[in-house]
Amino acid sequence: MDIINIYDNSDKLYYIGGVVRDKLLSVKSFDVDITYVGDAIEYCAKFGEVIQENPDFGTIRVNVGGREVDFASTRAEVYEKKGHLPVVTKIGCSLKEDVLRRDFTINALAMSVKTGEIIDYVGGQEDLENKVLRVLHDKSFVDDPTRIIRGLKFRVRFGFDLEPNTRKLQEEYLAHINYDMSYKRVKKELIETFNLNSQYAFELFVKEGIYKLISPEKFDIPKVNIENLINKYPVKLPWIIYIGLLPDLSRIEFTKEEKKIIEDFRSIGELKDDFEIYKAFDGLALESIFLYAISKDMKSAFRYLDVLRNIKISITGDDLKNLGIAPSPKYQEIFDYVLKEKLKNPDITTQDEISLAKKFIN
Ligand code: ATP
């Protein structure tokens, strides 16, 4: 989404944060944030149909000509509990106070809606030109460690680097992590970062020890290039292939589907033959198979993906009924027997399968 045109004569309205950064970088923005120096809920409702408002934060979402735009009141915050959501101390503060609560200088730029003038209190434009990420103060990562993952995301997305002091602060924080933090926000940033499907991001994540925010135990980067793997076989949840490899995932709250992906791959042990491979992977999410491939046994996983998964037996319960066999758990044994034979010889016909079933019963 690009900057939207709002025709308003107020000099208190500013595009703010990512949208200004993206405009200066000439890349597309995901969303448009606009801040009003004062009470946005009162002022900005006139721009269109109000979709929702949150008086605690002074924010309002409005449909402006078919686009949902977030308007925020300028606000100041403090991190009373480090690593958790900040507490709003003032709504309707100055623009300068509002930008000083932000994560990096490149995300702390404002642009006047009325004149297009860029307001830069923190040197964000220079950092954009030099392609560096710089925190606004030395306690930034202590206040909110999710910024370390946000930093990784922006470095990878824009090809930026950490400026030296920010790098030093990251190292210091990672050497003294306070694990009492909001992992819901950590998870959101992990998803956004690793859905970029970047091996480079994963290498930085491991090499710089950023993974320790989630899983403290030492972790080495697997030999497999995950980015290439996902490019070859697209999956629904790319991020989980990167994160699922960490030994300790107890801090992250997974959905039922995500939990199953992790549990499935962890529960599979050594696979000795085609039949065992087939039975282990049949019906599993591709994500689980990849996690197994990367961390345990690449050969079995690819034997399944490239060859075995295309093999299916054709006989059904009806065929067995027609042979005079009453439905019972025996059916599964028969199907498994036929499958075992078919994996050895995939070209057999349905008639051959029926003969095999008969042979098994006899
Ligand atoms: P994206 O293009 O990924 O949406 P964005 O910069 O717009 O990037 P958002 O997560 O939408 O990111 O946040 C909007 C703005 O809010 C940021 O540009 C930044 O100024 C501020 N912000 C977001 N997260 C934090 C944080 N953890 N700490 C401080 N400021 C933050």
Side-chain angles (χ1 to χ4, degrees), residues 17-18 21-22 30-31 33 79 101-103 107 144 146-147 150 153-154 157 185:
R21 172 201 70 211
D22 291 344
F30 294 140
D31 49 21
D33 290 315
Y79 285 82
R101 70 180 165 83
R102 292 170 188 268
D103 51 358
N107 288 342
D144 181 0
T146 62
R147 290 173 181 162
R150 285 177 64 80
K153 174 178 77 177
F154 294 125
R157 240 166 76 187
R185 301 169 72 218

mmCIF file with all atom_site columns, all heavy atoms in Angstrom, residues 17-18 21-22 30-31 33 79 101-103 107 144 146-147 150 153-154 157 185, ligand 1:
data_model
loop_
_atom_site.group_PDB
_atom_site.id
_atom_site.type_symbol
_atom_site.label_atom_id
_atom_site.label_alt_id
_atom_site.label_comp_id
_atom_site.label_asym_id
_atom_site.label_entity_id
_atom_site.label_seq_id
_atom_site.pdbx_PDB_ins_code
_atom_site.Cartn_x
_atom_site.Cartn_y
_atom_site.Cartn_z
_atom_site.occupancy
_atom_site.B_iso_or_equiv
_atom_site.pdbx_formal_charge
_atom_site.auth_seq_id
_atom_site.auth_comp_id
_atom_site.auth_asym_id
_atom_site.auth_atom_id
_atom_site.pdbx_PDB_model_num
ATOM   1   N N   . GLY A 1 17  ? 6.335  6.473   10.936 1.00 0.00 ? 17  GLY A N   1
ATOM   2   C CA  . GLY A 1 17  ? 6.867  5.107   11.054 1.00 0.00 ? 17  GLY A CA  1
ATOM   3   C C   . GLY A 1 17  ? 7.161  4.481   9.702  1.00 0.00 ? 17  GLY A C   1
ATOM   4   O O   . GLY A 1 17  ? 7.674  5.138   8.786  1.00 0.00 ? 17  GLY A O   1
ATOM   5   N N   . GLY A 1 18  ? 6.797  3.200   9.574  1.00 0.00 ? 18  GLY A N   1
ATOM   6   C CA  . GLY A 1 18  ? 7.171  2.406   8.409  1.00 0.00 ? 18  GLY A CA  1
ATOM   7   C C   . GLY A 1 18  ? 6.792  3.013   7.068  1.00 0.00 ? 18  GLY A C   1
ATOM   8   O O   . GLY A 1 18  ? 7.533  2.900   6.088  1.00 0.00 ? 18  GLY A O   1
ATOM   9   N N   . ARG A 1 21  ? 9.398  5.596   6.073  1.00 0.00 ? 21  ARG A N   1
ATOM   10  C CA  . ARG A 1 21  ? 10.620 4.839   5.731  1.00 0.00 ? 21  ARG A CA  1
ATOM   11  C C   . ARG A 1 21  ? 10.482 4.222   4.342  1.00 0.00 ? 21  ARG A C   1
ATOM   12  O O   . ARG A 1 21  ? 11.354 4.377   3.487  1.00 0.00 ? 21  ARG A O   1
ATOM   13  C CB  . ARG A 1 21  ? 10.802 3.744   6.800  1.00 0.00 ? 21  ARG A CB  1
ATOM   14  C CG  . ARG A 1 21  ? 11.899 2.731   6.544  1.00 0.00 ? 21  ARG A CG  1
ATOM   15  C CD  . ARG A 1 21  ? 11.637 1.459   7.356  1.00 0.00 ? 21  ARG A CD  1
ATOM   16  N NE  . ARG A 1 21  ? 10.483 0.730   6.837  1.00 0.00 ? 21  ARG A NE  1
ATOM   17  C CZ  . ARG A 1 21  ? 9.655  -0.012  7.572  1.00 0.00 ? 21  ARG A CZ  1
ATOM   18  N NH1 . ARG A 1 21  ? 9.813  -0.114  8.868  1.00 0.00 ? 21  ARG A NH1 1
ATOM   19  N NH2 . ARG A 1 21  ? 8.632  -0.649  7.013  1.00 0.00 ? 21  ARG A NH2 1
ATOM   20  N N   . ASP A 1 22  ? 9.350  3.550   4.110  1.00 0.00 ? 22  ASP A N   1
ATOM   21  C CA  . ASP A 1 22  ? 9.155  2.853   2.837  1.00 0.00 ? 22  ASP A CA  1
ATOM   22  C C   . ASP A 1 22  ? 9.073  3.829   1.667  1.00 0.00 ? 22  ASP A C   1
ATOM   23  O O   . ASP A 1 22  ? 9.544  3.538   0.569  1.00 0.00 ? 22  ASP A O   1
ATOM   24  C CB  . ASP A 1 22  ? 7.893  1.979   2.895  1.00 0.00 ? 22  ASP A CB  1
ATOM   25  C CG  . ASP A 1 22  ? 8.066  0.802   3.847  1.00 0.00 ? 22  ASP A CG  1
ATOM   26  O OD1 . ASP A 1 22  ? 9.220  0.495   4.208  1.00 0.00 ? 22  ASP A OD1 1
ATOM   27  O OD2 . ASP A 1 22  ? 7.054  0.184   4.235  1.00 0.00 ? 22  ASP A OD2 1
ATOM   28  N N   . PHE A 1 30  ? 3.219  -2.003  3.794  1.00 0.00 ? 30  PHE A N   1
ATOM   29  C CA  . PHE A 1 30  ? 2.127  -2.924  4.120  1.00 0.00 ? 30  PHE A CA  1
ATOM   30  C C   . PHE A 1 30  ? 0.911  -2.170  4.647  1.00 0.00 ? 30  PHE A C   1
ATOM   31  O O   . PHE A 1 30  ? -0.212 -2.546  4.415  1.00 0.00 ? 30  PHE A O   1
ATOM   32  C CB  . PHE A 1 30  ? 2.580  -3.941  5.174  1.00 0.00 ? 30  PHE A CB  1
ATOM   33  C CG  . PHE A 1 30  ? 3.655  -4.866  4.680  1.00 0.00 ? 30  PHE A CG  1
ATOM   34  C CD1 . PHE A 1 30  ? 4.716  -5.226  5.508  1.00 0.00 ? 30  PHE A CD1 1
ATOM   35  C CD2 . PHE A 1 30  ? 3.621  -5.387  3.396  1.00 0.00 ? 30  PHE A CD2 1
ATOM   36  C CE1 . PHE A 1 30  ? 5.712  -6.085  5.054  1.00 0.00 ? 30  PHE A CE1 1
ATOM   37  C CE2 . PHE A 1 30  ? 4.611  -6.232  2.935  1.00 0.00 ? 30  PHE A CE2 1
ATOM   38  C CZ  . PHE A 1 30  ? 5.654  -6.582  3.764  1.00 0.00 ? 30  PHE A CZ  1
ATOM   39  N N   . ASP A 1 31  ? 1.182  -1.121  5.394  1.00 0.00 ? 31  ASP A N   1
ATOM   40  C CA  . ASP A 1 31  ? 0.053  -0.376  5.954  1.00 0.00 ? 31  ASP A CA  1
ATOM   41  C C   . ASP A 1 31  ? 0.422  1.103   6.098  1.00 0.00 ? 31  ASP A C   1
ATOM   42  O O   . ASP A 1 31  ? 1.582  1.477   5.983  1.00 0.00 ? 31  ASP A O   1
ATOM   43  C CB  . ASP A 1 31  ? -0.399 -0.962  7.300  1.00 0.00 ? 31  ASP A CB  1
ATOM   44  C CG  . ASP A 1 31  ? 0.773  -1.181  8.238  1.00 0.00 ? 31  ASP A CG  1
ATOM   45  O OD1 . ASP A 1 31  ? 1.814  -0.541  8.038  1.00 0.00 ? 31  ASP A OD1 1
ATOM   46  O OD2 . ASP A 1 31  ? 0.639  -1.980  9.170  1.00 0.00 ? 31  ASP A OD2 1
ATOM   47  N N   . ASP A 1 33  ? 0.249  4.333   8.563  1.00 0.00 ? 33  ASP A N   1
ATOM   48  C CA  . ASP A 1 33  ? -0.028 4.869   9.904  1.00 0.00 ? 33  ASP A CA  1
ATOM   49  C C   . ASP A 1 33  ? 0.042  6.387   9.843  1.00 0.00 ? 33  ASP A C   1
ATOM   50  O O   . ASP A 1 33  ? 0.976  6.950   9.264  1.00 0.00 ? 33  ASP A O   1
ATOM   51  C CB  . ASP A 1 33  ? 1.009  4.378   10.918 1.00 0.00 ? 33  ASP A CB  1
ATOM   52  C CG  . ASP A 1 33  ? 0.848  2.893   11.199 1.00 0.00 ? 33  ASP A CG  1
ATOM   53  O OD1 . ASP A 1 33  ? -0.305 2.454   11.396 1.00 0.00 ? 33  ASP A OD1 1
ATOM   54  O OD2 . ASP A 1 33  ? 1.858  2.177   11.203 1.00 0.00 ? 33  ASP A OD2 1
ATOM   55  N N   . TYR A 1 79  ? 8.144  1.786   29.868 1.00 0.00 ? 79  TYR A N   1
ATOM   56  C CA  . TYR A 1 79  ? 8.171  0.335   30.059 1.00 0.00 ? 79  TYR A CA  1
ATOM   57  C C   . TYR A 1 79  ? 8.286  0.051   31.553 1.00 0.00 ? 79  TYR A C   1
ATOM   58  O O   . TYR A 1 79  ? 9.373  -0.095  32.088 1.00 0.00 ? 79  TYR A O   1
ATOM   59  C CB  . TYR A 1 79  ? 9.331  -0.280  29.272 1.00 0.00 ? 79  TYR A CB  1
ATOM   60  C CG  . TYR A 1 79  ? 9.014  -0.326  27.800 1.00 0.00 ? 79  TYR A CG  1
ATOM   61  C CD1 . TYR A 1 79  ? 9.198  0.794   27.008 1.00 0.00 ? 79  TYR A CD1 1
ATOM   62  C CD2 . TYR A 1 79  ? 8.469  -1.471  27.228 1.00 0.00 ? 79  TYR A CD2 1
ATOM   63  C CE1 . TYR A 1 79  ? 8.859  0.774   25.665 1.00 0.00 ? 79  TYR A CE1 1
ATOM   64  C CE2 . TYR A 1 79  ? 8.126  -1.490  25.881 1.00 0.00 ? 79  TYR A CE2 1
ATOM   65  C CZ  . TYR A 1 79  ? 8.326  -0.373  25.113 1.00 0.00 ? 79  TYR A CZ  1
ATOM   66  O OH  . TYR A 1 79  ? 7.982  -0.385  23.782 1.00 0.00 ? 79  TYR A OH  1
ATOM   67  N N   . ARG A 1 101 ? 9.539  7.120   21.369 1.00 0.00 ? 101 ARG A N   1
ATOM   68  C CA  . ARG A 1 101 ? 9.186  5.812   21.939 1.00 0.00 ? 101 ARG A CA  1
ATOM   69  C C   . ARG A 1 101 ? 9.403  4.680   20.926 1.00 0.00 ? 101 ARG A C   1
ATOM   70  O O   . ARG A 1 101 ? 9.142  3.521   21.201 1.00 0.00 ? 101 ARG A O   1
ATOM   71  C CB  . ARG A 1 101 ? 7.733  5.812   22.416 1.00 0.00 ? 101 ARG A CB  1
ATOM   72  C CG  . ARG A 1 101 ? 6.730  5.851   21.282 1.00 0.00 ? 101 ARG A CG  1
ATOM   73  C CD  . ARG A 1 101 ? 5.302  5.852   21.760 1.00 0.00 ? 101 ARG A CD  1
ATOM   74  N NE  . ARG A 1 101 ? 4.377  6.231   20.718 1.00 0.00 ? 101 ARG A NE  1
ATOM   75  C CZ  . ARG A 1 101 ? 3.897  5.413   19.789 1.00 0.00 ? 101 ARG A CZ  1
ATOM   76  N NH1 . ARG A 1 101 ? 4.256  4.148   19.777 1.00 0.00 ? 101 ARG A NH1 1
ATOM   77  N NH2 . ARG A 1 101 ? 3.057  5.848   18.880 1.00 0.00 ? 101 ARG A NH2 1
ATOM   78  N N   . ARG A 1 102 ? 9.873  4.997   19.749 1.00 0.00 ? 102 ARG A N   1
ATOM   79  C CA  . ARG A 1 102 ? 9.915  3.996   18.676 1.00 0.00 ? 102 ARG A CA  1
ATOM   80  C C   . ARG A 1 102 ? 11.193 3.166   18.677 1.00 0.00 ? 102 ARG A C   1
ATOM   81  O O   . ARG A 1 102 ? 12.100 3.427   19.459 1.00 0.00 ? 102 ARG A O   1
ATOM   82  C CB  . ARG A 1 102 ? 9.658  4.689   17.338 1.00 0.00 ? 102 ARG A CB  1
ATOM   83  C CG  . ARG A 1 102 ? 8.218  5.169   17.300 1.00 0.00 ? 102 ARG A CG  1
ATOM   84  C CD  . ARG A 1 102 ? 7.868  6.072   16.176 1.00 0.00 ? 102 ARG A CD  1
ATOM   85  N NE  . ARG A 1 102 ? 6.529  6.583   16.396 1.00 0.00 ? 102 ARG A NE  1
ATOM   86  C CZ  . ARG A 1 102 ? 5.417  6.015   15.926 1.00 0.00 ? 102 ARG A CZ  1
ATOM   87  N NH1 . ARG A 1 102 ? 5.473  4.934   15.200 1.00 0.00 ? 102 ARG A NH1 1
ATOM   88  N NH2 . ARG A 1 102 ? 4.233  6.547   16.186 1.00 0.00 ? 102 ARG A NH2 1
ATOM   89  N N   . ASP A 1 103 ? 11.243 2.144   17.807 1.00 0.00 ? 103 ASP A N   1
ATOM   90  C CA  . ASP A 1 103 ? 12.344 1.172   17.896 1.00 0.00 ? 103 ASP A CA  1
ATOM   91  C C   . ASP A 1 103 ? 13.647 1.627   17.237 1.00 0.00 ? 103 ASP A C   1
ATOM   92  O O   . ASP A 1 103 ? 14.702 1.614   17.860 1.00 0.00 ? 103 ASP A O   1
ATOM   93  C CB  . ASP A 1 103 ? 11.906 -0.207  17.380 1.00 0.00 ? 103 ASP A CB  1
ATOM   94  C CG  . ASP A 1 103 ? 11.253 -0.170  16.007 1.00 0.00 ? 103 ASP A CG  1
ATOM   95  O OD1 . ASP A 1 103 ? 11.087 0.928   15.432 1.00 0.00 ? 103 ASP A OD1 1
ATOM   96  O OD2 . ASP A 1 103 ? 10.903 -1.249  15.492 1.00 0.00 ? 103 ASP A OD2 1
ATOM   97  N N   . ASN A 1 107 ? 12.519 4.107   11.684 1.00 0.00 ? 107 ASN A N   1
ATOM   98  C CA  . ASN A 1 107 ? 11.077 3.963   11.924 1.00 0.00 ? 107 ASN A CA  1
ATOM   99  C C   . ASN A 1 107 ? 10.526 5.135   12.726 1.00 0.00 ? 107 ASN A C   1
ATOM   100 O O   . ASN A 1 107 ? 9.403  5.075   13.229 1.00 0.00 ? 107 ASN A O   1
ATOM   101 C CB  . ASN A 1 107 ? 10.785 2.668   12.692 1.00 0.00 ? 107 ASN A CB  1
ATOM   102 C CG  . ASN A 1 107 ? 10.981 1.441   11.835 1.00 0.00 ? 107 ASN A CG  1
ATOM   103 O OD1 . ASN A 1 107 ? 11.007 1.551   10.615 1.00 0.00 ? 107 ASN A OD1 1
ATOM   104 N ND2 . ASN A 1 107 ? 11.120 0.289   12.460 1.00 0.00 ? 107 ASN A ND2 1
ATOM   105 N N   . ASP A 1 144 ? 12.409 -3.626  25.459 1.00 0.00 ? 144 ASP A N   1
ATOM   106 C CA  . ASP A 1 144 ? 11.618 -4.452  24.551 1.00 0.00 ? 144 ASP A CA  1
ATOM   107 C C   . ASP A 1 144 ? 12.529 -5.304  23.656 1.00 0.00 ? 144 ASP A C   1
ATOM   108 O O   . ASP A 1 144 ? 12.956 -4.869  22.582 1.00 0.00 ? 144 ASP A O   1
ATOM   109 C CB  . ASP A 1 144 ? 10.736 -3.531  23.692 1.00 0.00 ? 144 ASP A CB  1
ATOM   110 C CG  . ASP A 1 144 ? 9.869  -4.324  22.732 1.00 0.00 ? 144 ASP A CG  1
ATOM   111 O OD1 . ASP A 1 144 ? 9.960  -5.568  22.735 1.00 0.00 ? 144 ASP A OD1 1
ATOM   112 O OD2 . ASP A 1 144 ? 9.099  -3.697  21.983 1.00 0.00 ? 144 ASP A OD2 1
ATOM   113 N N   . THR A 1 146 ? 11.901 -7.698  21.793 1.00 0.00 ? 146 THR A N   1
ATOM   114 C CA  . THR A 1 146 ? 11.377 -8.087  20.466 1.00 0.00 ? 146 THR A CA  1
ATOM   115 C C   . THR A 1 146 ? 12.015 -7.203  19.390 1.00 0.00 ? 146 THR A C   1
ATOM   116 O O   . THR A 1 146 ? 12.046 -7.568  18.220 1.00 0.00 ? 146 THR A O   1
ATOM   117 C CB  . THR A 1 146 ? 9.844  -7.943  20.355 1.00 0.00 ? 146 THR A CB  1
ATOM   118 O OG1 . THR A 1 146 ? 9.494  -6.589  20.543 1.00 0.00 ? 146 THR A OG1 1
ATOM   119 C CG2 . THR A 1 146 ? 9.113  -8.805  21.329 1.00 0.00 ? 146 THR A CG2 1
ATOM   120 N N   . ARG A 1 147 ? 12.547 -6.063  19.802 1.00 0.00 ? 147 ARG A N   1
ATOM   121 C CA  . ARG A 1 147 ? 13.198 -5.167  18.831 1.00 0.00 ? 147 ARG A CA  1
ATOM   122 C C   . ARG A 1 147 ? 14.416 -5.831  18.203 1.00 0.00 ? 147 ARG A C   1
ATOM   123 O O   . ARG A 1 147 ? 14.800 -5.474  17.091 1.00 0.00 ? 147 ARG A O   1
ATOM   124 C CB  . ARG A 1 147 ? 13.605 -3.860  19.525 1.00 0.00 ? 147 ARG A CB  1
ATOM   125 C CG  . ARG A 1 147 ? 12.396 -3.018  19.899 1.00 0.00 ? 147 ARG A CG  1
ATOM   126 C CD  . ARG A 1 147 ? 12.791 -1.821  20.738 1.00 0.00 ? 147 ARG A CD  1
ATOM   127 N NE  . ARG A 1 147 ? 11.620 -1.036  21.105 1.00 0.00 ? 147 ARG A NE  1
ATOM   128 C CZ  . ARG A 1 147 ? 11.591 -0.149  22.090 1.00 0.00 ? 147 ARG A CZ  1
ATOM   129 N NH1 . ARG A 1 147 ? 12.672 0.061   22.815 1.00 0.00 ? 147 ARG A NH1 1
ATOM   130 N NH2 . ARG A 1 147 ? 10.484 0.526   22.350 1.00 0.00 ? 147 ARG A NH2 1
ATOM   131 N N   . ARG A 1 150 ? 12.868 -7.658  15.445 1.00 0.00 ? 150 ARG A N   1
ATOM   132 C CA  . ARG A 1 150 ? 12.440 -6.661  14.445 1.00 0.00 ? 150 ARG A CA  1
ATOM   133 C C   . ARG A 1 150 ? 13.649 -6.158  13.660 1.00 0.00 ? 150 ARG A C   1
ATOM   134 O O   . ARG A 1 150 ? 13.590 -5.991  12.444 1.00 0.00 ? 150 ARG A O   1
ATOM   135 C CB  . ARG A 1 150 ? 11.741 -5.470  15.122 1.00 0.00 ? 150 ARG A CB  1
ATOM   136 C CG  . ARG A 1 150 ? 10.327 -5.784  15.582 1.00 0.00 ? 150 ARG A CG  1
ATOM   137 C CD  . ARG A 1 150 ? 9.692  -4.598  16.303 1.00 0.00 ? 150 ARG A CD  1
ATOM   138 N NE  . ARG A 1 150 ? 9.494  -3.426  15.474 1.00 0.00 ? 150 ARG A NE  1
ATOM   139 C CZ  . ARG A 1 150 ? 8.503  -3.252  14.618 1.00 0.00 ? 150 ARG A CZ  1
ATOM   140 N NH1 . ARG A 1 150 ? 7.610  -4.197  14.445 1.00 0.00 ? 150 ARG A NH1 1
ATOM   141 N NH2 . ARG A 1 150 ? 8.394  -2.139  13.918 1.00 0.00 ? 150 ARG A NH2 1
ATOM   142 N N   . LYS A 1 153 ? 14.587 -8.616  11.095 1.00 0.00 ? 153 LYS A N   1
ATOM   143 C CA  . LYS A 1 153 ? 13.622 -8.557  9.981  1.00 0.00 ? 153 LYS A CA  1
ATOM   144 C C   . LYS A 1 153 ? 13.943 -7.407  9.027  1.00 0.00 ? 153 LYS A C   1
ATOM   145 O O   . LYS A 1 153 ? 13.996 -7.591  7.812  1.00 0.00 ? 153 LYS A O   1
ATOM   146 C CB  . LYS A 1 153 ? 12.205 -8.402  10.565 1.00 0.00 ? 153 LYS A CB  1
ATOM   147 C CG  . LYS A 1 153 ? 11.115 -8.195  9.545  1.00 0.00 ? 153 LYS A CG  1
ATOM   148 C CD  . LYS A 1 153 ? 9.748  -8.103  10.197 1.00 0.00 ? 153 LYS A CD  1
ATOM   149 C CE  . LYS A 1 153 ? 9.484  -6.765  10.854 1.00 0.00 ? 153 LYS A CE  1
ATOM   150 N NZ  . LYS A 1 153 ? 8.127  -6.657  11.432 1.00 0.00 ? 153 LYS A NZ  1
ATOM   151 N N   . PHE A 1 154 ? 14.205 -6.237  9.592  1.00 0.00 ? 154 PHE A N   1
ATOM   152 C CA  . PHE A 1 154 ? 14.475 -5.071  8.730  1.00 0.00 ? 154 PHE A CA  1
ATOM   153 C C   . PHE A 1 154 ? 15.829 -5.204  8.034  1.00 0.00 ? 154 PHE A C   1
ATOM   154 O O   . PHE A 1 154 ? 15.987 -4.784  6.887  1.00 0.00 ? 154 PHE A O   1
ATOM   155 C CB  . PHE A 1 154 ? 14.398 -3.771  9.535  1.00 0.00 ? 154 PHE A CB  1
ATOM   156 C CG  . PHE A 1 154 ? 13.010 -3.467  10.041 1.00 0.00 ? 154 PHE A CG  1
ATOM   157 C CD1 . PHE A 1 154 ? 12.777 -3.255  11.391 1.00 0.00 ? 154 PHE A CD1 1
ATOM   158 C CD2 . PHE A 1 154 ? 11.934 -3.399  9.176  1.00 0.00 ? 154 PHE A CD2 1
ATOM   159 C CE1 . PHE A 1 154 ? 11.492 -2.979  11.865 1.00 0.00 ? 154 PHE A CE1 1
ATOM   160 C CE2 . PHE A 1 154 ? 10.639 -3.133  9.635  1.00 0.00 ? 154 PHE A CE2 1
ATOM   161 C CZ  . PHE A 1 154 ? 10.425 -2.924  10.991 1.00 0.00 ? 154 PHE A CZ  1
ATOM   162 N N   . ARG A 1 157 ? 15.094 -7.571  5.197  1.00 0.00 ? 157 ARG A N   1
ATOM   163 C CA  . ARG A 1 157 ? 14.179 -7.009  4.197  1.00 0.00 ? 157 ARG A CA  1
ATOM   164 C C   . ARG A 1 157 ? 14.832 -5.920  3.364  1.00 0.00 ? 157 ARG A C   1
ATOM   165 O O   . ARG A 1 157 ? 14.618 -5.825  2.157  1.00 0.00 ? 157 ARG A O   1
ATOM   166 C CB  . ARG A 1 157 ? 12.948 -6.438  4.905  1.00 0.00 ? 157 ARG A CB  1
ATOM   167 C CG  . ARG A 1 157 ? 11.674 -7.105  4.440  1.00 0.00 ? 157 ARG A CG  1
ATOM   168 C CD  . ARG A 1 157 ? 10.530 -6.804  5.332  1.00 0.00 ? 157 ARG A CD  1
ATOM   169 N NE  . ARG A 1 157 ? 10.001 -5.472  5.145  1.00 0.00 ? 157 ARG A NE  1
ATOM   170 C CZ  . ARG A 1 157 ? 9.059  -4.949  5.925  1.00 0.00 ? 157 ARG A CZ  1
ATOM   171 N NH1 . ARG A 1 157 ? 8.565  -5.651  6.927  1.00 0.00 ? 157 ARG A NH1 1
ATOM   172 N NH2 . ARG A 1 157 ? 8.604  -3.754  5.721  1.00 0.00 ? 157 ARG A NH2 1
ATOM   173 N N   . ARG A 1 185 ? 4.390  -11.370 21.393 1.00 0.00 ? 185 ARG A N   1
ATOM   174 C CA  . ARG A 1 185 ? 4.965  -10.394 20.461 1.00 0.00 ? 185 ARG A CA  1
ATOM   175 C C   . ARG A 1 185 ? 6.215  -10.970 19.794 1.00 0.00 ? 185 ARG A C   1
ATOM   176 O O   . ARG A 1 185 ? 6.476  -10.723 18.627 1.00 0.00 ? 185 ARG A O   1
ATOM   177 C CB  . ARG A 1 185 ? 5.269  -9.095  21.191 1.00 0.00 ? 185 ARG A CB  1
ATOM   178 C CG  . ARG A 1 185 ? 4.010  -8.502  21.813 1.00 0.00 ? 185 ARG A CG  1
ATOM   179 C CD  . ARG A 1 185 ? 4.323  -7.374  22.756 1.00 0.00 ? 185 ARG A CD  1
ATOM   180 N NE  . ARG A 1 185 ? 4.759  -6.197  22.043 1.00 0.00 ? 185 ARG A NE  1
ATOM   181 C CZ  . ARG A 1 185 ? 5.721  -5.383  22.471 1.00 0.00 ? 185 ARG A CZ  1
ATOM   182 N NH1 . ARG A 1 185 ? 6.331  -5.614  23.597 1.00 0.00 ? 185 ARG A NH1 1
ATOM   183 N NH2 . ARG A 1 185 ? 6.051  -4.324  21.778 1.00 0.00 ? 185 ARG A NH2 1
HETATM 184 P P1  . ATP B 2 .   ? 6.115  -3.234  8.443  1.00 0.00 ? 1   ATP B P1  1
HETATM 185 O O1  . ATP B 2 .   ? 6.431  -2.711  7.080  1.00 0.00 ? 1   ATP B O1  1
HETATM 186 O O2  . ATP B 2 .   ? 6.780  -4.550  8.739  1.00 0.00 ? 1   ATP B O2  1
HETATM 187 O O3  . ATP B 2 .   ? 4.677  -3.174  8.820  1.00 0.00 ? 1   ATP B O3  1
HETATM 188 P P2  . ATP B 2 .   ? 6.405  -1.099  10.295 1.00 0.00 ? 1   ATP B P2  1
HETATM 189 O O4  . ATP B 2 .   ? 7.617  -0.297  10.630 1.00 0.00 ? 1   ATP B O4  1
HETATM 190 O O5  . ATP B 2 .   ? 5.233  -0.395  9.710  1.00 0.00 ? 1   ATP B O5  1
HETATM 191 O O6  . ATP B 2 .   ? 6.925  -2.239  9.368  1.00 0.00 ? 1   ATP B O6  1
HETATM 192 P P3  . ATP B 2 .   ? 4.768  -2.012  12.453 1.00 0.00 ? 1   ATP B P3  1
HETATM 193 O O7  . ATP B 2 .   ? 4.987  -3.238  13.255 1.00 0.00 ? 1   ATP B O7  1
HETATM 194 O O8  . ATP B 2 .   ? 3.531  -1.852  11.662 1.00 0.00 ? 1   ATP B O8  1
HETATM 195 O O9  . ATP B 2 .   ? 6.050  -1.907  11.564 1.00 0.00 ? 1   ATP B O9  1
HETATM 196 O O10 . ATP B 2 .   ? 4.927  -0.773  13.428 1.00 0.00 ? 1   ATP B O10 1
HETATM 197 C C1  . ATP B 2 .   ? 4.649  0.558   13.039 1.00 0.00 ? 1   ATP B C1  1
HETATM 198 C C2  . ATP B 2 .   ? 5.597  1.513   13.728 1.00 0.00 ? 1   ATP B C2  1
HETATM 199 O O11 . ATP B 2 .   ? 5.431  1.393   15.140 1.00 0.00 ? 1   ATP B O11 1
HETATM 200 C C3  . ATP B 2 .   ? 7.071  1.219   13.477 1.00 0.00 ? 1   ATP B C3  1
HETATM 201 O O12 . ATP B 2 .   ? 7.512  1.841   12.291 1.00 0.00 ? 1   ATP B O12 1
HETATM 202 C C4  . ATP B 2 .   ? 7.715  1.798   14.705 1.00 0.00 ? 1   ATP B C4  1
HETATM 203 O O13 . ATP B 2 .   ? 7.852  3.190   14.616 1.00 0.00 ? 1   ATP B O13 1
HETATM 204 C C5  . ATP B 2 .   ? 6.690  1.496   15.785 1.00 0.00 ? 1   ATP B C5  1
HETATM 205 N N1  . ATP B 2 .   ? 6.952  0.208   16.472 1.00 0.00 ? 1   ATP B N1  1
HETATM 206 C C6  . ATP B 2 .   ? 6.512  -1.014  16.139 1.00 0.00 ? 1   ATP B C6  1
HETATM 207 N N2  . ATP B 2 .   ? 6.956  -1.955  16.987 1.00 0.00 ? 1   ATP B N2  1
HETATM 208 C C7  . ATP B 2 .   ? 7.703  -1.305  17.894 1.00 0.00 ? 1   ATP B C7  1
HETATM 209 C C8  . ATP B 2 .   ? 8.443  -1.716  19.045 1.00 0.00 ? 1   ATP B C8  1
HETATM 210 N N3  . ATP B 2 .   ? 8.493  -2.996  19.415 1.00 0.00 ? 1   ATP B N3  1
HETATM 211 N N4  . ATP B 2 .   ? 9.074  -0.757  19.740 1.00 0.00 ? 1   ATP B N4  1
HETATM 212 C C9  . ATP B 2 .   ? 9.012  0.542   19.385 1.00 0.00 ? 1   ATP B C9  1
HETATM 213 N N5  . ATP B 2 .   ? 8.364  0.981   18.315 1.00 0.00 ? 1   ATP B N5  1
HETATM 214 C C10 . ATP B 2 .   ? 7.698  0.087   17.575 1.00 0.00 ? 1   ATP B C10 1
#
